[in-house]
Amino acid sequence: MTFIKSISGIRGTIGGRTGDTLNPLDIVKFTTAYAQFIGGKKIVVGRDGRISGLMVRNVVVGTLMGMGYDVIDIGYATTPTTELAVRMAGADGGIIITASHNPRQWNALKLLNREGEFLTAADGAEVLRMAEEEDFNYAEVDNLGTCTIDDSFNQRHIDSVLALKLVDREAISKRKFRVCVDTINSVGGIILPDLFKALGVDYEILNGECTGDFAHNPEPLEKNLQGIMDKMKQGGFDLGIVVDPDVDRLAFICEDGRMFGEEYTLVSVADYVLSHTVGNTVSNLSSTRALRDVTEKHGGKYTAAAVGEVNVTTKMKEVGAVIGGEGNGGVIYPESHYGRDALVGIALFLSSLAQKGCKVSELRATFPEYQIAKNRIDLTPETDVDAILVKVKEMFAQDATAQVNDIDGVKIDFPDRWVHLRKSNTEPIIRVYSEAQTMQQADELGKQLMQVVYDMQ
């Protein structure tokens, strides 16, 4: 069983002993600390389709009411829908009940500020501190909060996507696209059909029932997507689309059943945006170099940020980026809002495809070719991650061909490849991402660094 506290919230497996898992006692404590920190009177709560979602929702909403907050419960909702709902409702904050790409036994609380954006690292650390101190002050009986159910925000989210200047509804409708979509038994199966209808797109949904009993591992990686890939190979579809349980990550599949590459979701959308809007881009350190290449082709400047959505959005604001995100399929388009949003990504990608008049595989062939190997090392309680990262940094400090970046773990950049080691914020693992011209080269580089870690354990 697992329980992880981080600046981005709390996350863990459901069931088991207190202190070891995500359980009602810790949910109450953490929610109370957040409510006391955020201040104000109104908080939005949304949840994905996880089996444990209703239980966690009841604990969160009851705790907020006990703190005197009026809760706007938007029910089943994507992460970007909840982010937008905070702004649209004029709320003081929001809590998203989702463990994103984690398996079915996991759940988590993600915390938003009054802008509908994730708390900064400093604010998240303060909430954790307050939760540990447990110096709480609940409302008197006459000052308890209320709970209002409001299911209007899915449509309001769709309306906001359709209103974006670069979403070309006319061109999309004229192409008469037919898409196959895997919504992994969560909230994507609720909102995406309405988006496709609004865009004039014919669709077939796989795993569309919002049961939380995921049909496969919910992380949108090729090894987990054989079902939709086989469906695409049968023909009859222009595009395959895959989202994660809270619909902030997005992966595409070509018309012939080959992966477009989750790293190239952001690259392709950024290329479209930059062809219409001059500006800069940002992605995290673990993302493909292809975004840098595309950005420079359009005359912009690319900047890398530490991993984590709040780190990317902070850097985007600093450099005035017009598009950004993460190589895991997360598209952040400030014209909409500062949050990863698969609906925005889908609409912009279809607009690009419609205007270019090409197939998905043909579009993919226009981008620089890189291959990323994504490996992981499971941690034990005895693993000293900091010592491992120091050792790796020392190994390459004297290498004239290597540039070492330690703002988030350790990334070693070579002229023709890179490797990045960092401790995950969401799982008890070290992520080892490496990129090169071929998958063999990328995998070899990653495994070279993994062996260093194994030797130290």
Side-chain angles (χ1 to χ4, degrees):
M1 310 305 283
T2 307
F3 184 45
I4 300 173
K5 303 176 184 178
S6 74
I7 57 174
S8 59
I10 58 172
R11 180 180 301 239
T13 51
I14 299 295
R17 298 181 61 85
T18 57
D20 295 333
T21 62
L22 186 67
N23 59 83
L25 288 178
D26 283 305
I27 293 169
V28 168
K29 185 167 64 173
F30 192 76
T31 302
T32 303
Y34 167 73
Q36 201 154 289
F37 168 82
I38 209 72
K41 183 63 178 174
K42 190 189 323 183
I43 290 179
V44 171
V45 175
R47 64 184 175 102
D48 70 12
R50 290 172 182 275
I51 295 170
S52 61
L54 180 59
M55 180 275 288
V56 178
R57 174 266 181 205
N58 289 342
V59 176
V60 167
V61 170
T63 302
L64 291 173
M65 292 171 65
M67 288 293 290
Y69 278 88
D70 294 331
V71 178
I72 301 175
D73 179 6
I74 66 173
Y76 286 129
T78 74
T79 282
T81 303
T82 310
E83 292 170 343
L84 285 166
V86 171
R87 283 171 33 190
M88 292 174 174
D92 300 294
I95 296 179
I96 311 167
I97 301 169
T98 175
S100 191
H101 63 274
N102 289 94
R104 65 197 291 276
Q105 70 269 27
W106 288 74
N107 216 327
L109 304 186
K110 296 182 178 180
L111 309 179
L112 305 174
N113 61 23
R114 67 182 63 250
E115 299 300 322
E117 300 170 16
F118 288 118
L119 298 188
T120 65
D123 289 347
E126 179 62 12
V127 171
L128 288 176
R129 185 195 66 77
M130 294 171 67
E132 290 301 318
E133 287 191 356
E134 297 188 48
D135 183 18
F136 302 142
N137 184 24
Y138 291 94
E140 302 291 340
V141 67
D142 293 326
N143 297 314
L144 295 175
T146 62
C147 179
T148 302
I149 307 296
D150 188 340
D151 62 1
S152 68
F153 289 98
N154 279 350
Q155 187 58 51
R156 293 169 73 176
H157 184 181
I158 291 171
D159 290 343
S160 73
V161 173
L162 300 177
L164 294 171
K165 293 179 181 179
L166 292 187
V167 173
D168 193 339
R169 295 175 66 183
E170 182 178 358
I172 293 171
S173 181
K174 284 182 178 178
R175 276 293 300 269
K176 299 187 182 302
F177 288 116
R178 178 163 169 74
V179 301
C180 184
V181 188
D182 185 346
T183 58
I184 192 59
N185 307 108
S186 192
V187 292
I190 296 173
I191 194 170
L192 289 184
D194 290 336
L195 175 68
F196 294 133
K197 291 172 187 174
L199 290 171
V201 173
D202 189 19
Y203 63 91
E204 180 174 333
I205 302 289
L206 304 181
N207 306 315
E209 303 83 5
C210 187
T211 63
D213 195 8
F214 305 141
H216 55 78
N217 186 307
E219 189 164 13
L221 303 177
E222 181 172 357
K223 64 182 180 180
N224 301 326
L225 303 177
Q226 200 58 52
I228 187 172
M229 292 174 70
D230 288 345
K231 186 80 172 178
M232 292 295 297
K233 289 174 184 176
Q234 295 172 14
F237 296 99
D238 300 294
L239 171 67
I241 299 173
V242 181
V243 294
D244 65 341
D246 65 328
V247 199
D248 62 355
R249 288 177 60 173
L250 174 64
F252 297 123
I253 300 171
C254 297
E255 75 284 349
D256 57 6
R258 291 181 294 122
M259 291 294 296
F260 189 81
E262 65 167 353
E263 289 288 331
Y264 285 82
T265 298
L266 175 58
V267 174
S268 59
V269 173
D271 181 63
Y272 173 66
V273 170
L274 291 170
S275 68
H276 292 81
T277 311
V278 177
N280 302 323
T281 67
V282 173
S283 66
N284 67 40
L285 287 168
S286 283
S287 300
T288 179
R289 282 182 177 175
L291 180 62
R292 177 200 65 184
D293 296 348
V294 165
T295 304
E296 292 175 351
K297 179 188 76 172
H298 288 288
K301 180 181 178 181
Y302 166 78
T303 305
V307 175
E309 185 171 322
V310 67
N311 296 318
V312 174
T313 57
T314 299
K315 186 61 68 175
M316 288 177 68
K317 293 173 184 178
E318 287 178 8
V319 302
V322 297
I323 184 81
E326 300 185 286
N328 59 13
V331 174
I332 302 173
Y333 186 44
E335 195 72 23
S336 173
H337 65 119
Y338 278 102
R340 296 182 303 183
D341 192 329
L343 278 73
V344 169
I346 290 169
L348 291 175
F349 185 85
L350 288 173
S351 297
S352 176
L353 201 62
Q355 290 183 8
K356 289 180 171 66
C358 63
K359 295 180 180 179
V360 177
S361 59
E362 293 170 343
L363 178 62
R364 176 64 177 82
T366 65
F367 301 123
E369 185 62 40
Y370 296 102
Q371 297 291 331
I372 286 188
K374 297 185 177 184
N375 293 295
R376 55 182 279 173
I377 300 171
D378 293 326
L379 298 178
T380 67
E382 294 76 31
T383 305
D384 188 340
V385 177
D386 292 336
I388 289 170
L389 296 177
V390 168
K391 175 69 173 179
V392 171
K393 181 179 177 182
E394 290 175 348
M395 283 179 59
F396 293 94
Q398 306 305 316
D399 188 336
T401 67
Q403 293 182 338
V404 180
N405 186 322
D406 62 357
I407 66 170
D408 183 11
V410 176
K411 182 176 183 179
I412 300 100
D413 253 307
F414 301 98
D416 61 344
R417 65 193 71 185
W418 58 260
V419 60
H420 186 201
L421 283 78
R422 57 176 293 275
K423 185 176 180 180
S424 171
N425 291 328
T426 59
E427 299 177 76
I429 62 174
I430 293 176
R431 298 193 185 277
V432 184
Y433 287 9
S434 48
E435 182 175 67
Q437 294 292 324
T438 70
M439 182 57 74
Q440 180 179 350
Q441 293 170 337
D443 200 45
E444 287 176 354
L445 179 59
K447 287 178 177 174
Q448 175 189 346
L449 271 293
M450 290 171 71
Q451 190 58 52
V452 173
V453 177
Y454 291 139
D455 291 343
M456 293 186 65
Q457 285 186 310

